[in-house]
Amino acid sequence: NESCTFKTDGAFSDGGFDQSFYLETARKGSVVSRANSIGSTSASSVPNTDDEDSDYRHETSLKDSYKDRRRQAHTQAEQKRRDAIKKGYDDLQSIVPTCQQQSEFAVGAQKISKATILQKTIDYIHFLHKEKKKQEEEVSVLRKEVMALKIMKTNYEHIVKAHQSNPQQGEDQVSDQVKFDIFQSIMDSLFVSFSNSVSVSSFEELSACVFSWIEEHCKPQTLREFVVRVLRQINVQLY
């Protein structure tokens, strides 16, 4: 209140209102106002270092978190790959018979090496290829035999049909007993010559005598004459 009273009193003098004093006071107030405004503006334009530090720490944290996630993903992928390889070796060891046999004879906790498992697997695959080729050859032989049997079956069916259509045609056929008698007579005669010609003192001598007997008593002309003689004997007995 005193300052106000002082200023008011200074504005008036004995001669009346002092205009110069009023102008000076207004000028000083305007300067002070502008200074305060500049100070406020300068203070507001100063950068906030706390906010910048917070943003930097946040950005660094995001980068570290991204690196950690990539590292974890890489670790998981690598572990998955190793597990798949280990499972593959375990499956091979359980499938390949030679690996199973070697694992049974392994001492203590000793395990079969991966190189051994791969080599045993390769050997087993080669063995399977050979077995497959052998079986294919056997199947081919069996198919030929089946084809031959089918042909024989067809021929026998034709014979049966022909016999059924002409039943009197087979009245003159000989019995199975007659066929057996003929075969027995032939074999008995051959055995007599075989027994007289072949020695059984040793296997070497037996082998040599057998070939000699075949060359002497089993010639086509000799067998033909012998069979004719047997047939004549049987014919005399029957008729």
Side-chain angles (χ1 to χ4, degrees):
N1 295 333
E2 291 179 358
S3 62
C4 293
T5 303
F6 173 77
K7 291 177 180 179
T8 303
D9 292 342
F12 293 91
S13 61
D14 295 339
F17 179 73
D18 189 353
Q19 186 176 4
S20 62
F21 178 79
Y22 178 77
L23 292 173
E24 181 66 19
T25 301
R27 185 182 65 78
K28 291 181 178 181
S30 176
V31 170
V32 172
S33 177
R34 285 198 302 272
N36 290 335
S37 176
I38 294 172
S40 176
T41 302
S42 299
S44 64
S45 63
V46 174
N48 192 341
T49 57
D50 292 339
D51 293 340
E52 289 183 354
D53 291 342
S54 177
D55 293 340
Y56 176 76
R57 287 194 299 270
H58 181 65
E59 183 178 357
T60 303
S61 176
L62 289 177
K63 291 181 179 179
D64 293 339
S65 177
Y66 175 70
K67 290 180 179 180
D68 290 339
R69 289 196 300 269
R70 287 192 60 185
R71 189 182 300 108
Q72 291 178 359
H74 177 72
T75 302
Q76 292 176 358
E78 181 66 18
Q79 185 63 38
K80 186 177 180 180
R81 185 184 69 85
R82 292 181 180 179
D83 292 340
I85 294 175
K86 182 179 181 300
K87 184 178 183 301
Y89 279 106
D90 292 341
D91 291 342
L92 288 177
Q93 186 173 352
S94 63
I95 292 173
V96 179
T98 51
C99 290
Q100 297 176 4
Q101 295 173 0
Q102 186 166 349
S103 62
E104 291 177 358
F105 291 102
V107 180
Q110 183 181 2
K111 294 183 178 180
I112 305 177
S113 64
K114 294 181 179 178
T116 302
I117 293 176
L118 291 178
Q119 186 60 48
K120 297 280 187 186
T121 303
I122 292 172
D123 295 340
Y124 186 62
I125 291 174
H126 288 322
F127 168 75
L128 290 178
H129 280 303
K130 291 180 180 179
E131 287 295 316
K132 181 176 179 291
K133 185 177 180 180
K134 181 180 178 181
Q135 291 177 357
E136 288 176 351
E137 293 175 353
E138 292 177 353
V139 169
S140 178
V141 172
L142 292 174
R143 284 177 178 172
K144 292 179 180 179
E145 292 181 357
V146 169
M147 183 62 66
L149 292 173
K150 287 182 178 179
I151 294 173
M152 293 175 62
K153 177 177 177 290
T154 303
N155 292 334
Y156 281 123
E157 289 176 349
H158 289 316
I159 292 172
V160 171
K161 289 181 179 179
H163 178 70
Q164 290 176 351
S165 60
N166 298 307
Q168 296 179 352
Q169 187 177 1
E171 290 180 354
D172 297 333
Q173 292 181 353
V174 298
S175 63
D176 292 337
Q177 183 63 39
V178 174
K179 290 189 291 185
F180 177 76
D181 292 339
I182 295 173
F183 179 78
Q184 185 178 9
S185 299
I186 295 172
M187 291 299 104
D188 288 342
S189 300
L190 289 175
F191 180 74
V192 170
S193 63
F194 180 84
S195 179
N196 294 330
S197 304
V198 176
S199 174
V200 291
S201 300
S202 64
F203 183 77
E204 291 79 5
E205 188 175 356
L206 173 64
S207 301
C209 292
V210 166
F211 287 108
S212 299
W213 174 78
I214 291 174
E215 292 177 358
E216 183 179 357
H217 296 278
C218 295
K219 294 179 180 179
Q221 183 62 29
T222 303
L223 291 176
R224 182 177 181 278
E225 294 175 355
F226 178 73
V227 171
V228 169
R229 186 168 62 249
V230 170
L231 290 174
R232 286 176 179 175
Q233 293 176 356
I234 297 297
N235 188 36
V236 171
Q237 293 175 3
L238 291 176
Y239 303 102

